[in-house]
Amino acid sequence: MTAAKQNQPAIEVRHLCAGYGRKTILRDISFTVPQGQIVTVLGGSGCGKSTLLKHLIGLYQPKSGDILIQGRSIVNASDEERRSIMKTFGVAYQGGALFRSMTLAENIALPLEEYTDLTREQIAVRVEEKLCMVNLQGCGAMMPGDLSGGMVKRAAFARAMALDPAILFFDEPSAGLDPLSSASLDQLILSIRERTGATILVVTHELDSIFTIADRAVMLSAATRSIIADGPPAELRDHSPDRQVRNFLKRGREPKPRQPNED
């Protein structure tokens, strides 16, 4: 990678306005994600986290503004250019979105069959490599319906990594998991970044995950329809001038005040 490419943000959002019909969900959103960072997008219900993600991965066109993926606009791209840009990132959706009629190996092989000229034998090697990366080695013949919730999430990660993308988007990866499975998934995300150098953007509301994995947190507000905080999670929790931000990041974590007559 050239020095210019290294200094170029992996993701750059410029004055994004997004919504549906006449309803505006996000207004004048701007932020960048440097190469190799793990950034979490968080906020209360209805703040626009999912809307932002759908625009970042090119599913929806914004009302105005631009989104650059490694310096290329996914908003103003032609259909062919957009397909080319989309090959540079992988997405793991909240429910896994695995094809239930296909084995894990077939799910992971699908993008390789669609977008590469690899032979069947080469694809099989790549699939097992990705399964090993998410600690599902030897599970390629299993069907999605036979997996636990945590295994489904890991399989979705493996498919997202099939094309060795430079950027990974994870949508609520810990949703529905028990605390131990969630903590294990957090460590896997850190391991993926360490092993691949990928830039990772995670939409989540799980505090433990935010403080474990995130270099930065971008917090959205339903009230302002904009970004109200952007920075290291612990710094925002302890020093943000916005009480809403501090309360969100401290919820359930502060000790109860001692009563005057309490022994």
Side-chain angles (χ1 to χ4, degrees), residues 65 77 157 190 202 209 228:
F157 283 11
L190 292 171
V202 184
S209 293
I228 57 171

Side-chain angles (χ1 to χ4, degrees), residues 84-230:
S84 174
I85 294 169
M86 292 173 76
K87 292 179 189 177
T88 68
F89 60 77
V91 185
Y93 297 96
Q94 181 173 338
L98 301 176
F99 293 102
R100 299 181 66 82
S101 62
M102 303 169 66
T103 66
L104 293 195
E106 290 168 341
N107 268 280
I108 299 165
L110 194 61
L112 295 167
E113 293 168 346
E114 184 73 20
Y115 296 114
T116 75
D117 296 322
L118 296 176
T119 66
R120 186 171 300 178
E121 291 75 18
Q122 290 171 324
I123 288 175
V125 170
R126 180 77 67 88
V127 166
E128 189 58 30
E129 174 189 301
K130 301 310 177 189
L131 286 171
C132 286
M133 287 183 67
V134 298
N135 301 320
L136 289 176
Q137 54 270 27
C139 296
M142 296 182 70
M143 303 298 290
D146 297 327
L147 305 180
S148 67
M151 293 174 73
V152 168
K153 303 282 188 178
R154 290 172 180 272
F157 283 11
R159 188 176 62 183
M161 292 189 291
L163 296 173
D164 294 325
I167 302 170
L168 291 165
F169 295 98
F170 295 153
D171 184 17
E172 297 284 3
S174 299
L177 299 183
D178 62 81
L180 288 178
S181 296
S182 180
S184 176
L185 211 64
D186 289 341
Q187 293 306 312
L188 177 59
I189 292 172
L190 292 171
S191 173
I192 289 171
R193 195 263 297 270
E194 182 178 352
R195 294 177 65 176
T196 68
T199 303
I200 303 176
L201 186 140
V202 184
V203 172
T204 183
H205 66 277
E206 301 285 347
L207 283 187
D208 288 338
S209 293
I210 292 165
F211 288 108
T212 298
I213 67 174
D215 299 307
R216 276 175 51 225
V218 174
M219 185 170 177
L220 304 176
S221 168
T224 65
R225 303 174 189 173
S226 64
I227 294 172
I228 57 171
D230 183 350

Side-chain angles (χ1 to χ4, degrees), residues 26-42:
L26 298 171
R27 180 184 293 124
D28 199 23
I29 298 291
S30 295
F31 68 96
T32 61
V33 179
Q35 304 277 355
Q37 271 199 357
I38 299 178
V39 172
T40 54
V41 175
L42 56 141

Side-chain angles (χ1 to χ4, degrees), residues 2 17 58 103 152 162 197 199 237 254 259:
T2 66
C17 292
T103 66
V152 168
T199 303
R237 176 195 62 202
E254 293 182 305
Q259 299 300 318

